Amino acid sequence: MIILAIETSCDETSAAVMENGTKVLSNVVASQTEFHKKYGGIVPEIASRKHIEVINPVIAEALEKAGKKFKDLDAVAVTYGPGLVGSLLVGLCAAKAIAWSLKIPLIGVNHLEGHIYANFLNSHLPSPISLFPFICLIVSGGHTLIVEVKDHGKYKTLGRTRDDAAGEAFDKVARFLNLGYPGGPIIDQLAKEGDPHAVEFKRPMIEKEFGYDFSFSGIKTAVVNYVTRNASPATIPPIPDVVASFQQAVVETLVEKTVQAALNHKIKTVALAGGVSANSALRKHLTERGGGEGLRVLIPPLEYTTDNAAMIACAGYYKSISGDLSALDLKPVASLKL
Ligand code: KG4
Ligand code: ZN
């Protein structure tokens, strides 16, 4: 079965072609970062316009790289939420037009579900069915949640952020420190030169009473206050130390709650998903801490951590074989829940 998948929920225009839910034949990602950089964040209006400009060439490139033509397609999968409505609409319109004109099924995919399925794009893993149930930490620019994945399409959210997403905190701290955009990868690199124990930022909401909920807006403010209070270069630790300490506090909090969720629910596997799962410290810490507790730790391949259509193709494949197809009047849902 050949699926074309389209992902345009935020600022990446992506198309992928996948065979039988396992083999990624192509995964083209056109990033708009350059256009949003000068604003220090994503401008929704610019995002939708850029998607319109590149959606057709991106789909054409994905087909060409896969060595396929439109006539070879068996289904089209597309992200319909959560995300920016204007951005989602562009991918949805393209997917609907292809499904309608080729008379093939349309499969609407939840973006967060796509991130979870990035874990199944790891060629070293056995079939997904042997991995259920697992605890998945989804950490991106817009979301931070801990989910129990019971089976294909069966999710139970155990906790979520009460304010900022983890990626949002990375981006805001980087913006405050004038490090550039997006902040996550920049802080990840810079933190490698710093001491993660230079500043002891409080681990937010780590106490048991908060369960698996998170809060990252306080730690962002703590960084701002720390740097402002110690504004003299003679007293402030170097910026690599500050960002390494910030990253350490965020990573420890994410990892601790994820591991506790697995232990408390007697689940033997934990997985990472979402853009922040590209973070080297998070990948390392979860592997070590989870491994230390005897858990199997799934880390998605780096190329499938940030937004991409291959993960949507994989999620779409499993939806299609369970008959979970969408009507051609599928609408974008900005705050779609898992
Ligand atoms: O999943 P994603 O591509 O888009 C959303 O669905 O939000 O995630 C983007 C987020 C941004 O906040 C970005 O700063 C963060 O993921 N990110 C990282 C890293 N790479 C991307 N955060 C920390 N370390 C990284 N290496
Ligand atoms: Zn995402």
Side-chain angles (χ1 to χ4, degrees):
M1 180 185 197
I2 304 289
I3 291 186
L4 168 73
I6 298 172
E7 153 65 44
T8 60
S9 65
C10 197
D11 64 335
E12 258 95 30
T13 318
S14 181
V17 179
M18 192 178 213
E19 194 177 318
N20 297 333
T22 48
K23 200 167 169 199
V24 180
L25 301 180
S26 64
N27 182 42
V28 177
V29 183
S31 173
Q32 306 177 356
T33 302
E34 281 309 309
F35 304 104
H36 299 284
K37 227 175 195 166
K38 64 175 173 232
Y39 305 102
I42 295 159
V43 183
E45 184 60 30
I46 295 178
S48 354
R49 282 164 194 265
K50 290 290 162 197
H51 283 309
I52 293 172
E53 281 171 28
V54 302
I55 186 79
N56 286 339
V58 163
I59 292 171
E61 191 181 336
L63 285 169
E64 197 194 324
K65 282 197 168 143
K68 301 288 175 194
K69 304 243 181 285
F70 278 115
K71 67 172 176 50
D72 301 321
L73 301 178
D74 296 304
V76 189
V78 63
T79 306
Y80 73 105
L84 301 168
V85 169
S87 292
L88 289 164
L89 259 177
V90 179
L92 259 175
C93 287
K96 287 186 203 176
I98 294 167
W100 179 79
S101 57
L102 296 175
K103 297 189 174 38
I104 55 174
L106 177 74
I107 312 158
V109 175
N110 181 311
H111 180 75
L112 299 175
E113 198 171 8
H115 274 306
I116 295 174
Y117 275 76
N119 281 287
F120 301 147
L121 297 175
N122 201 330
S123 54
H124 307 297
L125 283 177
S127 108
I129 202 75
S130 64
L131 301 172
F132 297 123
F134 61 89
I135 295 290
C136 190
L137 170 70
I138 309 177
V139 261
S140 71
H143 300 88
T144 300
L145 58 162
I146 294 184
V147 179
E148 181 183 343
V149 184
K150 297 168 188 240
D151 200 342
H152 287 300
K154 293 207 169 58
Y155 313 105
K156 183 177 174 196
T157 300
L158 304 178
R160 59 174 69 246
T161 182
R162 296 187 184 181
D163 42 54
D164 289 355
E168 197 178 348
F170 271 92
D171 296 338
K172 285 178 174 172
V173 164
R175 183 157 35 165
F176 168 72
L177 296 171
N178 280 323
L179 298 176
Y181 171 84
I186 299 169
I187 288 183
D188 190 354
Q189 275 311 111
L190 198 58
K192 292 193 169 96
E193 300 158 25
D195 171 7
H197 302 291
V199 189
E200 280 304 311
F201 291 115
K202 185 177 172 306
R203 278 49 180 157
M205 289 191 18
I206 202 72
E207 298 81 5
K208 280 210 164 53
E209 67 196 270
F210 296 113
Y212 308 114
D213 278 356
F214 298 100
S215 162
F216 292 110
S217 95
I219 187 162
K220 167 203 70 192
T221 311
V223 173
V224 172
N225 288 345
Y226 179 84
V227 173
T228 315
R229 227 182 306 120
N230 298 284
S232 142
T235 53
I236 188 173
I239 292 303
D241 284 353
V242 175
V243 296
S245 303
F246 157 76
Q247 178 176 272
Q248 181 73 10
V250 172
V251 164
E252 268 183 30
T253 309
L254 292 170
V255 167
E256 209 41 48
K257 295 210 178 212
T258 307
V259 169
Q260 287 309 327
L263 297 177
N264 294 341
H265 288 79
K266 303 202 173 2
I267 290 175
K268 298 257 172 289
T269 305
V270 290
L272 258 187
V276 182
S277 68
N279 185 269
S280 57
L282 178 59
R283 294 165 81 89
K284 182 166 178 278
H285 199 59
L286 185 64
T287 305
E288 287 172 1
R289 177 79 180 86
E293 293 288 350
L295 301 172
R296 174 166 54 183
V297 182
L298 308 179
I299 305 280
L302 209 49
E303 65 191 300
Y304 303 128
T305 52
T306 47
D307 292 350
N308 68 89
M311 66 186 196
I312 303 300
C314 186
Y317 171 77
Y318 287 101
K319 289 190 86 155
S320 80
I321 55 175
S322 68
D324 189 1
L325 306 176
S326 306
L328 279 179
D329 65 351
L330 182 67
K331 309 235 173 356
V333 184
S335 54
L336 185 66
K337 296 273 181 298
L338 197 60

